[in-house]
Structures are given as structure tokens and as C-alpha cells.
Amino acid sequence: MSHIVQIQTEVRDLVAVRAACERLKLPSPVIGSHRLYQGTVIGLGVELPGWRYRVVCDLVNGQLRYDNFGGRWGEQVHLDRFLQGYAVERTKIEARKKGHTVTEQSLEDGSVKLTVNVGGGV
Amino acid sequence: MSSKTIEIIVTPNGQTRVETKGFAGSECRDASRFIESALGQQTDEVLKAEFHQTTSQQQQVRQGE
């Protein structure tokens, strides 16, 4: 049988966050306390281009904390690209752990298609 | 002999769609679970026509026995 699943991405893996930053040529993520407009939060801080404050990943619950003031302190597109890079890298890492080969292809609409080859027929 | 693949489309805003191809029986769910659980929360699941065909064929075989 076959099935299709839609997934809401959660950021939980340090190695994949590092890989996403390398992929997007961003500075290495920093673990620690990060200042946002209101207060500080602890987590893995990612510096996005033109963003006033870092995006802070809580790897325990998979959620992101950030303050871009509706786009005025940082464009949403950079956060979207980071999430896409993270999902791509996390998939590749997990597939390789299982010994599968992965091929990556960029699609015209900006999506990335990954094909994980699980092996031959039954 | 068909190849078994898992196809993942990651949209420009980082959401993903996972689709299994070429699997027999119920193994497709097991095969792709490691990717689904690594990526986040499942928001929707669709069983493709192949699933129902495979199931009904198996039932027919059992009924004929």
C-alpha cells in the first residue's frame, strides 16, 4: 500500500540545524541565552540575514521563538528558507542513518524534492 | 521487481509532504515513519488507491482458500 502524509515541521535536531545554516551560508548556530525584544530566551540561536534578533530554537518542544515585528525587524522569507533547509537536511540525515541513498532535486516552484531509495522489490 | 521509494517534497516555507511508492501490504507506513516522526507533527494522511486494491486482492485470495 501507499500513503501520503503532510507534516508540520518541528525543529528538534542540533546537527540538522547546523547543516541548514551551512547550506544557507549562515553563521553557526549558538546555544545559550538570547535577547529578544521582550526578555531573553534560552535555546539554539540562529542568525538570519537582516534580522535584528536571532531566531531561537527550543529543541525540546520543537518550537521557535522570534521577534521580527511583523517583518519590519526581519523578513519572513529568510525564516521560511531556514525551515526548508532544516527539513531537507533532517530528512537526508535520517535516511542515511538507515543506510538509504537520497537524491535531491530543486523544483520550479521553489520546493525541494528528496527521493529516498529504500531498496529493490519484494 | 519494482523499487521502493519514499518521496519527500519540502515546500519553500518548510512544510513537508511524504509519499511512499512501490511498497506492498502495510509496510509503507513502517518504512516512512522514521522520516515523519523526525520532521514533526502529522497534519493529514491520505491512503492512495493502491492501498485499497492491495487490501481487496488479499481478501479475495483468502476467501478463495
Side-chain angles (χ1 to χ4, degrees):
Chain A
M1 85 180 192
S2 293
H3 72 307
I4 302 171
V5 174
Q6 306 273 356
I7 297 163
Q8 177 81 30
T9 302
E10 293 179 347
V11 178
R12 293 178 183 272
D13 187 74
L14 173 62
V15 177
V17 172
R18 282 196 179 128
C21 289
E22 279 178 27
R23 178 188 181 90
L24 298 168
K25 298 184 170 51
L26 301 175
S28 294
V30 179
I31 297 171
S33 178
H34 304 279
R35 191 171 71 88
L36 295 182
Y37 178 65
Q38 285 189 321
T40 57
V41 289
I42 293 170
L44 182 62
V46 174
E47 213 174 304
L48 297 176
W51 278 53
R52 185 177 296 191
Y53 302 104
R54 287 191 175 117
V55 171
V56 184
C57 314
D58 184 333
L59 301 180
V60 177
N61 65 19
Q63 303 304 305
L64 302 177
R65 298 281 300 276
Y66 58 91
D67 197 344
N68 70 339
F69 198 11
R72 274 169 278 187
W73 292 346
E75 291 179 59
Q76 179 70 29
V77 66
H78 293 296
L79 180 57
D80 290 344
R81 274 186 204 140
F82 167 71
L83 282 171
Q84 184 186 38
Y86 171 82
V88 168
E89 294 299 328
R90 183 84 206 258
T91 301
K92 285 161 70 173
I93 289 166
E94 294 302 318
R96 284 171 185 157
K97 274 188 200 165
K98 294 264 183 190
H100 304 321
T101 54
V102 189
T103 52
E104 181 179 333
Q105 186 188 350
S106 295
L107 303 181
E108 278 184 13
D109 68 353
S111 296
V112 174
K113 177 177 164 184
L114 297 165
T115 306
V116 178
N117 196 338
V118 179
V122 183
Chain B
M1 190 161 144
S2 62
S3 67
K4 299 178 199 173
T5 57
I6 307 167
E7 199 175 278
I8 301 103
I9 304 279
V10 188
T11 65
N13 67 1
Q15 303 312 298
T16 51
R17 176 178 177 276
V18 178
E19 181 172 351
T20 54
K21 291 183 173 175
F23 289 88
S26 60
E27 67 176 345
C28 69
R29 270 190 172 134
D30 296 333
S32 60
R33 189 172 292 137
F34 75 99
I35 289 177
E36 293 157 14
S37 60
L39 285 172
Q41 290 292 324
Q42 183 175 316
T43 57
D44 188 30
E45 181 179 37
V46 178
L47 297 172
K48 295 198 297 188
E50 280 169 66
F51 162 69
H52 300 289
Q53 282 166 9
T54 307
T55 306
S56 62
Q57 279 161 10
Q58 285 171 345
Q59 283 168 351
Q60 282 163 12
V61 170
R62 278 200 293 274
Q63 282 163 5
E65 282 170 355

